[in-house]
Amino acid sequence: MIETIERMVSDLERGRLSRRQFAVSLAALAASTSLAPVALATPAPTGFRAVSINHVTVRVPDLHRTSQFYQEFFGMPLKQQSATIHILGVGESSFFGIEQDESKNAALSHYDFGMANFNADEVRAKLTERGLKFDSSSNESFKFFDPDGFHVQVNAPDYVGHVR
């Protein structure tokens, strides 16, 4: 909870959050702590299991500046690249994607879960049951928007990514 409050204070200081939004968010956070046991209840499993975070991809205004920082600071080797995307290695099987974006603001593009026994058709069927839309018919990997609007990619744990 402390990390959440620190993030909210940072957003307030940077002007991303008004004083009113900060107060409402803080009140909602405090109220949610009384519901913690309910919130931690384990939902019924769907039969799918995420076993890794395969990668996270961000959109940035300066692809080369950001890529150079992560390569130098964290020692992430450049694995793949195109004119608008760099894929940097993280450990043995994960990567960090960086996409060039025309806007002035950096943002999360999507995150990717490696799933045990990945079967794209079965995952798509469960998403359809929940009224969620997906973006391709690929059997290797695809993306969808979760109920909160985050772009999520799913595939087998050994997916290595591809630049376009």
Side-chain angles (χ1 to χ4, degrees):
M1 180 180 347
I2 290 174
E3 290 175 19
T4 301
I5 293 170
E6 287 174 350
R7 191 170 40 253
M8 288 170 33
V9 168
S10 176
D11 286 347
L12 176 67
E13 290 171 344
R14 290 190 172 114
R16 294 184 198 154
L17 204 60
S18 70
R19 286 178 53 120
R20 178 165 173 67
Q21 290 170 319
F22 176 76
V24 169
S25 298
L26 192 57
L29 183 62
S32 72
T33 60
S34 65
L35 301 175
V38 174
L40 295 177
T42 304
T46 61
F48 303 120
R49 193 168 69 99
V51 295
S52 66
I53 294 181
N54 181 280
H55 70 273
V56 173
T57 298
V58 295
R59 292 188 308 263
V60 298
D62 187 334
L63 170 69
H64 296 287
R65 182 195 69 203
T66 302
S67 181
Q68 182 177 1
F69 168 77
Y70 281 93
Q71 289 178 62
E72 291 174 358
F73 193 84
F74 290 106
M76 297 176 173
L78 181 64
K79 297 287 194 174
Q80 296 181 44
Q81 69 179 347
S82 73
T84 59
I85 298 172
H86 284 187
I87 293 181
L88 307 181
V90 179
E92 296 300 315
S93 60
S94 296
F95 64 90
F96 181 65
I98 306 168
E99 296 178 353
Q100 177 71 48
D101 192 6
E102 299 307 315
S103 77
K104 301 271 188 225
N105 300 319
L108 174 69
S109 171
H110 67 277
Y111 48 89
D112 179 310
F113 290 116
M115 297 175 67
N117 306 310
F118 178 71
N119 181 306
D121 292 332
E122 289 178 8
V123 175
R124 280 193 282 269
K126 288 289 187 183
L127 291 171
T128 300
E129 285 176 18
R130 292 173 179 255
L132 299 173
K133 305 231 185 283
F134 41 87
D135 70 0
S136 82
S137 59
S138 168
N139 286 325
E140 180 184 22
S141 180
F142 68 91
K143 296 175 186 167
F144 65 93
F145 287 99
D146 77 2
D148 293 306
F150 287 107
H151 212 189
V152 181
Q153 184 173 354
V154 291
N155 38 245
D158 59 351
Y159 178 75
V160 295
H162 304 288
V163 297
R164 23 177 166 38

